[in-house]
Amino acid sequence: MTNTVTLSEATGFARAETCARPLISIVVPVFNEQDNIDKTYAELKRVAAGLDDYRFEFLFTDNYSTDLTFAKLSQIAAHDPEVRVVRFARNFGFQKSVLTGYRLARGAAAIQIDADLQDPPSMFGPFLKKWRDGYDVVVGVRRNRKESLLLRRGRRAYYRLLRRLDGPHLILDAGDFRLIDRSVIERLRPIHEPHMYLRGLISSLARRQIGIPFDRSERLHNESKFKFRSLLRLAMDGILAHSSLPLRISFYIGMFIALAAVLLATFYLVLHLVSAEATPRGFTTTQILILFGIGLNSLFLGVLGIYVGRIYDQVRMRPPTIIADLVNFDRPIEKIEKDLLRWSDQQT
């Protein structure tokens, strides 16, 4: 007796296999990575092929590269339907590029990894195991980094400062290499923050998160896109997005200067009563105090201006990114951007 399988049965088997093998989205932000694309794609596919319990899609978000990055990605996507490519109309910054990638991910979970492979794709397996254990955010904790001692110490101090400001939910020495569950992605969709610090935001949205230590490799091709100025801007975004510390510092300094001025005035008054001749003559002290006060006022107004500017950007509700090209998407740009705007509008 021969066994025959009908079309409906085969379809049922395929559906059962799909349900048993959840889709995982690999989100890769790129900018001028033409020397890394081929190697990155090959390594991601190699690691994914060894994880038989999952299906994968590879979502590349091109932040308006000026080299052959988009052309290479388009060639790869033409031969691999698992690869999807989004190209923005201009450079919107790393944070917004990653956020758009998360919002467009179709998987039950998404893993963000840089195209330079300094974060090893071999960590996908441990990430997914923790996800299966019930963690909705799994973070890669950088144990060792191949960079200068000064920069390592600066990062270490900053992460600890930010944790004291925002709370214990921030995992120390964690970067952007992480897995997030679909539930966290759904919480990210309606959030509209023009100057977000995505690492802290995701940690604040997690119900259960865990960190896994790993050693970060050295970059093999090109230079890092995060120069010292970019790192400072990212650090400032983290503080301003998760704390009102600069405003509190301004208040405390103002109180200290006001108290010092009262003490100085009292000292001069007592000195004048004791000996009128001992009172300093001239305008030197007065001018110094006036200039110092003007400088402090300018500093505090600048701090207030930063927060007011961020509020202004927030209320304008501009789209975080503008998409110029799509590859291997089943819907046109207009419908996808409309959905992105609708998710943002849900907050209001």
Side-chain angles (χ1 to χ4, degrees):
M1 180 177 180
T2 59
N3 295 326
T4 60
V5 178
T6 65
L7 178 60
S8 61
E9 290 174 333
T11 303
F13 293 154
R15 288 176 178 172
E17 182 183 7
T18 299
C19 294
R21 299 172 63 232
L23 177 66
I24 306 299
S25 301
I26 308 299
V27 179
V28 189
V30 295
F31 175 67
N32 290 346
E33 296 285 359
Q34 63 178 9
D35 295 330
N36 289 321
I37 289 300
D38 293 332
K39 179 181 177 180
T40 299
Y41 169 72
E43 181 65 12
L44 292 177
K45 293 289 288 188
R46 184 191 70 80
V47 172
L51 299 170
D52 298 330
D53 295 333
Y54 306 93
R55 297 175 296 122
F56 289 89
E57 69 165 358
F58 305 92
L59 178 58
F60 291 85
T61 55
D62 182 9
N63 212 0
Y64 197 66
S65 297
T66 56
D67 59 3
L68 298 177
T69 296
F70 181 70
K72 286 191 171 186
L73 287 173
S74 298
Q75 292 176 359
I76 293 173
H79 298 89
D80 188 348
E82 294 179 342
V83 175
R84 299 195 296 156
V85 186
V86 181
R87 176 176 168 82
F88 302 132
R90 61 180 183 275
N91 192 323
F92 289 92
F94 176 77
Q95 301 286 309
K96 293 179 180 180
S97 175
V98 175
L99 177 63
T100 301
Y102 281 141
R103 286 175 168 172
L104 294 177
R106 299 177 297 185
I111 300 176
Q112 190 261 304
I113 186 171
D114 294 340
D116 54 19
L117 294 185
Q118 287 185 274
D119 301 322
S122 59
M123 294 295 295
F124 289 176
F127 278 11
L128 290 167
K129 183 179 183 303
K130 292 297 183 182
W131 176 60
R132 289 284 199 181
D133 291 340
Y135 292 96
D136 55 0
V137 174
V138 184
V139 182
V141 179
R142 298 162 178 173
R143 186 165 44 200
N144 293 314
R145 304 176 62 123
K146 292 179 171 58
E147 58 188 14
S148 67
L149 178 62
L150 180 62
L151 193 54
R152 288 202 305 271
R153 293 287 177 83
R155 290 181 189 273
R156 180 180 176 85
Y158 172 73
Y159 288 138
R160 280 146 185 81
L161 171 64
L162 194 60
R163 185 173 185 177
R164 287 183 64 88
L165 295 177
D166 198 25
H169 62 276
L170 295 180
I171 296 179
L172 295 177
D173 302 318
D176 295 294
F177 183 38
R178 69 184 65 217
L179 175 149
I180 66 174
D181 183 69
R182 165 57 56 183
S183 60
V184 179
I185 295 175
E186 294 301 324
R187 295 184 202 117
L188 273 176
R189 281 181 169 177
I191 293 177
H192 179 79
E193 293 185 11
H195 305 280
M196 69 180 58
Y197 184 68
L198 199 54
R199 301 176 188 177
L201 178 59
I202 290 175
S203 291
S204 67
L205 297 175
R207 288 194 175 97
R208 295 186 65 202
Q209 69 172 338
I210 190 172
I212 302 180
F214 73 98
D215 295 324
R216 203 163 197 245
S217 305
E218 187 176 4
R219 186 181 177 94
L220 298 179
H221 301 288
N222 296 338
E223 295 181 352
S224 174
K225 306 304 183 297
F226 275 94
K227 304 299 183 183
F228 185 70
R229 180 186 298 179
S230 299
L231 290 175
L232 286 179
R233 187 181 301 114
L234 180 63
M236 184 59 68
D237 284 340
I239 293 175
L240 295 177
H242 294 275
S243 173
S244 59
L245 177 65
L247 291 175
R248 294 200 302 270
I249 290 177
S250 300
F251 173 77
Y252 293 140
I253 292 179
M255 290 292 293
F256 175 78
I257 296 301
L259 178 60
V262 171
L263 293 177
L264 186 61
T266 304
F267 170 75
Y268 281 143
L269 177 61
V270 172
L271 188 62
H272 179 74
L273 294 176
V274 172
S275 175
E277 297 297 330
T279 304
R281 301 182 183 276
F283 296 95
T284 303
T285 304
T286 304
Q287 294 300 318
I288 291 175
L289 291 176
I290 291 175
L291 291 175
F292 188 56
I294 292 175
L296 282 178
N297 286 332
S298 299
L299 173 64
F300 299 156
L301 286 174
V303 173
L304 290 173
I306 292 175
Y307 279 95
V308 171
R310 287 170 175 258
I311 294 172
Y312 178 60
D313 289 338
Q314 180 84 23
V315 299
R316 286 190 296 180
M317 293 292 292
R318 291 185 176 182
T321 54
I322 303 296
I323 298 173
D325 296 285
L326 295 172
V327 182
N328 281 350
F329 279 74
D330 55 1
R331 293 183 299 161
I333 293 176
E334 291 76 14
K335 289 188 176 181
I336 289 179
E337 288 190 331
K338 184 177 180 179
D339 286 340
L340 291 174
L341 288 174
R342 187 182 73 244
W343 292 331
S344 295
D345 290 341
Q346 290 174 3
Q347 189 183 24
T348 60

